[in-house]
Amino acid sequence: MSQNEQLTVSLLDYGAGNVRSVRNAITAAGYQIEDITCPSQIANAKVIIFPGVGSYGTAMNILQEKGYVEPLKEYLKNHDRPYLGICLGMQTLFESSEETFNAAADAATRTTTTTGLGVVPGKVIKFDETKMTVPHIGWNGRIAHQKSPVFGGVGGEEEVYFVHSY
């Protein structure tokens, strides 16, 4: 049995992500999939993939309602198990985001932010529309701050595809 067949990937579907394409990719790579349907599964996961499309605030509210926030923080605390956050799944790792703000806040300044998982220091902010087209869509280079197996098949000078505003 190959290593791919032995590994089960836990898929965190919060209800608004690009789950079908991610599920197809995991299966095509030969891995087993376990859908996370309760908080206790997070503690036992060997690998978590969290794909997400949509609103930061909605995603965080759903994670909170389902009781996933604290187990995710615990899973990520020691950096000893793989986690792949795709789009919103990556953004929720930060302390906060200005994407979703309280309607009572000043809409012009977006002074109120939504709290995230707080695993990565910093706030997710919108790209400056005076410096680039938003949403940012297209092939671009990237700056690797550390090695990652995620980019194992991508050369240092190769471009990758982006679609995002934050």
Side-chain angles (χ1 to χ4, degrees), residues 10 12 26 42 67-68 77 80 88 100 111 135 146 148 150 155 159 165:
S10 296
L12 198 160
I26 295 167
I42 294 171
Y68 291 168
K77 182 170 66 173
D80 59 349
L88 207 50
T100 307
T111 54
Q146 66 184 36
S148 170
V150 172
E159 294 184 335
S165 298

Side-chain angles (χ1 to χ4, degrees), residues 3 10 19 21 26 29 35 98 116 126 135 149 151 155 158 165:
Q3 187 176 1
S10 296
V19 175
S21 60
I26 295 167
D35 291 307
E98 70 176 20
K126 189 170 186 177
F151 291 108
E158 289 183 73
S165 298

Side-chain angles (χ1 to χ4, degrees), residues 22-75:
V22 172
R23 181 180 301 281
N24 291 341
I26 295 167
T27 303
Y31 296 102
Q32 303 271 336
I33 299 173
E34 176 182 35
D35 291 307
I36 294 174
T37 58
C38 66
S40 63
Q41 290 174 286
I42 294 171
N44 298 322
K46 303 287 184 231
V47 174
I48 293 178
I49 296 180
F50 178 12
V53 173
S55 161
Y56 187 98
T58 299
M60 287 306 304
N61 285 340
I62 292 170
L63 292 177
Q64 192 68 45
E65 287 169 8
K66 291 186 175 209
Y68 291 168
V69 171
E70 291 308 316
L72 277 170
K73 286 180 179 181
E74 189 64 31
Y75 175 92

Side-chain angles (χ1 to χ4, degrees), residues 4-160:
N4 286 2
E5 292 173 299
Q6 295 173 353
L7 183 65
T8 297
V9 174
S10 296
L11 187 60
L12 198 160
D13 177 5
Y14 78 102
N18 50 347
V19 175
R20 186 168 42 171
S21 60
V22 172
R23 181 180 301 281
N24 291 341
I26 295 167
T27 303
Y31 296 102
Q32 303 271 336
I33 299 173
E34 176 182 35
D35 291 307
I36 294 174
T37 58
C38 66
S40 63
Q41 290 174 286
I42 294 171
N44 298 322
K46 303 287 184 231
V47 174
I48 293 178
I49 296 180
F50 178 12
V53 173
S55 161
Y56 187 98
T58 299
M60 287 306 304
N61 285 340
I62 292 170
L63 292 177
Q64 192 68 45
E65 287 169 8
K66 291 186 175 209
Y68 291 168
V69 171
E70 291 308 316
L72 277 170
K73 286 180 179 181
E74 189 64 31
Y75 175 92
L76 295 161
K77 182 170 66 173
N78 295 321
H79 310 283
D80 59 349
R81 292 179 281 174
Y83 173 92
L84 175 60
I86 302 171
C87 194
L88 207 50
M90 184 272 303
Q91 292 180 5
T92 59
L93 295 174
F94 285 85
E95 293 170 317
S96 64
S97 173
E98 70 176 20
E99 178 184 2
T100 307
F101 58 96
N102 185 327
D106 181 355
T109 60
R110 295 178 165 242
T111 54
T112 302
T113 60
T114 301
T115 302
L117 296 172
V119 176
V120 176
K123 177 169 62 170
V124 177
I125 60 172
K126 189 170 186 177
F127 292 136
D128 184 345
E129 294 180 34
T130 64
K131 296 181 180 177
M132 65 187 318
T133 302
V134 177
H136 173 229
I137 302 173
W139 293 92
N140 289 103
R142 62 198 160 59
I143 299 170
H145 295 282
Q146 66 184 36
K147 291 189 88 145
S148 170
V150 172
F151 291 108
V154 181
E157 299 301 316
E158 289 183 73
E159 294 184 335
V160 293

